[in-house]
Amino acid sequence: MDDIAVLIPCYNEDKTIEKVVSDFKRVLPDAVIYVYDNNSTDDTEKLAKKAGAIVRHEYQQGKGNVVRRMFQEIDAHCYILVDGDDTYPAESAAKMVKLVQEHNADMVVGDRLSSTYFEENKRPFHNIGNCLVRGMVSKLFHGSIRDIMTGYRAFSYRFVKTFPILSCRFEIETEMSIHAIDKRMQVENVIVPYRDRPEGSVSKLNTFLDGWSVIKTLIRLFRIYNPFAFFGIISIMLFLISLVMFVPVLITYIETGLVPRYPTLIVSGFLSVAAIQLAGIGISLQNMLHKNRQDFELELYHAEIQERTEKD
C-alpha cells in the first residue's frame, strides 16, 4: 500500500501534464504519481511517463469512470486527486495531506472560490454555475463545503474504499461532496490559488451540457439522500392543488346543495390520494435510508480494520 498516491485523470493534456507531474514529485517526493489516460489522442501518455508518472488507462470515456477505476485499483493511506490541466498549485498538497494524516480528515476540499477563481477564470457561465451549485447544496443538504465542484481534493483510505461512484462524467465532484455531507465524513476546506489554463490548453467542459448534468445529479441525490423531503415537497404541492380545486366545489355544495362540477371533484380526489401515497413513499424510503446508514457505518469500520492491517 502506498503512503501517498497522487491521482491525475487525463484526457488530451499534453500541454500541461509534464509540468503537473514534475510539480507534485517536487512537493511530495515520497508520493507515487498515477496518471490515468482516458483515450487521449495527443502525447499525454508519453509526456507523463517521461516526467516519472505511472501511466494506466481507462477506456470508458468520462471523468467519473476514470476516478472509479482509480479508487478501485489503488490502495494508499492518503490520496490526492488533481486535474492534469495545471490550474491547481502542487504547493497546497502538503497541507491537504497533513489534514488527512494528522487530523483524521476524510476529504479535504481545495477551495478555489475563496481565492482567485473569479479573477482567473474567463468563462462567466462557469462562475455563475459554481455559485449556483454551491448555493443549492447548502440549502438542500446543509453542508459547509465551500467549493462543490473543485477538482483538487485529498481523501482518506476509508473514504475512497466506501464511496460508491455512480456518475460517469464531471458530476463526480458533486457526488463526492454530497456523499461526504450525508455520511457525516470529516471534511476540511483549504483555500488554494487558482490559475486559468495556459494558452493552447482547452477545457473539456461543456458549460451548458455539463451544467445541466450537475443539476440533474443534485436532484437525483436529493431524492436518494433525503427522500422524505423530496417526496414530501411533491406531496404538499399536489395536496394544495387538490385543495384549490376542491374548495369552490365545497362552497357551491354548501350554498346550493348541488355538485355541478363532478370532473373537478374527481380530479381533486385523485390528487389527494396521490399526495397521501407520495408521503407514504417518502416515509418508507426514509426508514430504508436510516438502515443503509447503519450498514455504511459497518463498512467504515471494516475499511479502518483493513487499513490498519495493511499498516502492520
Side-chain angles (χ1 to χ4, degrees):
M1 179 183 283
D2 301 326
D3 185 32
I4 303 170
V6 178
L7 311 181
I8 310 175
C10 273
Y11 173 62
N12 288 344
E13 299 288 5
D14 63 354
K15 299 289 188 301
T16 55
I17 187 59
E18 190 172 9
K19 180 179 184 300
V20 172
V21 173
S22 299
D23 286 350
F24 277 91
K25 286 180 71 69
R26 172 176 51 82
V27 172
L28 299 173
D30 297 328
V32 182
I33 315 281
Y34 295 90
V35 170
Y36 272 67
D37 182 67
N38 194 207
N39 303 312
S40 295
T41 56
D42 60 8
D43 292 328
T44 295
E45 178 181 359
K46 181 176 72 174
L47 293 173
K49 287 181 178 178
K50 178 183 175 183
I54 298 172
V55 178
R56 296 180 181 176
H57 296 271
E58 170 54 48
Y59 297 104
Q60 293 188 90
Q61 199 66 36
K63 186 175 181 179
N65 291 321
V66 180
V67 174
R68 179 169 171 261
R69 177 73 63 185
M70 289 173 160
F71 283 8
Q72 288 174 347
E73 292 185 351
I74 298 173
D75 294 331
H77 298 302
C78 178
Y79 300 79
I80 292 285
L81 178 67
V82 65
D83 293 337
D85 56 9
D86 194 32
T87 57
Y88 301 100
E91 288 73 19
S92 300
K95 183 176 182 180
M96 297 168 76
V97 168
K98 184 177 181 181
L99 286 170
V100 172
Q101 292 181 333
E102 299 181 14
H103 294 267
N104 300 320
D106 291 301
M107 182 172 73
V108 182
V109 175
D111 175 18
R112 310 159 297 167
L113 304 187
S114 299
S115 63
T116 57
Y117 182 78
F118 296 107
E119 291 79 25
E120 287 288 325
N121 185 43
K122 305 301 188 297
R123 293 155 292 183
F125 286 111
H126 284 207
N127 298 343
I128 295 170
N130 273 283
C131 292
L132 175 63
V133 171
R134 180 172 62 176
M136 289 179 66
V137 170
S138 177
K139 293 295 183 184
L140 295 177
F141 300 94
H142 309 291
S144 59
I145 298 176
R146 295 199 292 262
D147 190 350
I148 302 299
M149 300 177 68
T150 179
Y152 197 12
R153 299 170 191 250
F155 304 100
S156 66
Y157 176 86
R158 72 175 197 157
F159 182 97
V160 166
K161 296 306 179 182
T162 59
F163 173 46
I165 298 177
L166 302 178
S167 298
C168 297
R169 302 178 64 192
F170 289 98
E171 319 93 86
I172 181 66
E173 284 93 357
T174 305
E175 190 176 8
M176 287 175 179
S177 300
I178 294 173
H179 175 78
I181 294 169
D182 180 74
K183 296 302 187 293
R184 296 185 295 113
M185 297 285 199
Q186 182 177 334
V187 178
E188 303 288 345
N189 295 279
V190 171
I191 297 175
V192 299
Y194 176 86
R195 50 184 177 248
D196 204 8
R197 283 174 171 268
E199 187 176 351
S201 176
V202 181
S203 174
K204 314 308 182 298
L205 283 170
N206 182 300
T207 302
F208 296 103
L209 180 61
D210 290 308
W212 174 238
S213 296
V214 169
I215 291 174
K216 287 194 298 183
T217 299
L218 279 173
I219 296 171
R220 173 176 60 83
L221 294 176
F222 182 55
R223 173 176 56 82
I224 292 171
Y225 289 126
N226 199 345
F228 181 70
F230 179 84
F231 287 101
I233 290 171
I234 300 175
S235 174
I236 290 171
M237 291 173 61
L238 290 179
F239 181 76
L240 290 176
I241 293 171
S242 170
L243 196 62
V244 168
M245 298 176 70
F246 175 72
V247 168
V249 177
L250 178 63
I251 292 173
T252 301
Y253 175 76
I254 292 173
E255 291 176 348
T256 66
L258 301 174
V259 183
R261 290 183 289 178
Y262 274 106
T264 302
L265 182 62
I266 292 170
V267 172
S268 174
F270 275 120
L271 290 177
S272 296
V273 172
I276 293 170
Q277 289 179 329
L278 286 173
I281 290 172
I283 292 171
S284 298
L285 291 176
Q286 195 71 33
N287 290 334
M288 293 173 62
L289 180 65
H290 181 71
K291 177 64 169 62
N292 289 340
R293 284 171 176 161
Q294 290 177 324
D295 294 340
F296 180 78
E297 291 299 319
L298 293 176
E299 289 183 35
L300 284 181
Y301 175 71
H302 291 310
E304 288 178 357
I305 291 177
Q306 180 67 29
E307 185 179 16
R308 290 171 190 164
T309 302
E310 294 288 345
K311 285 182 179 178
D312 296 338

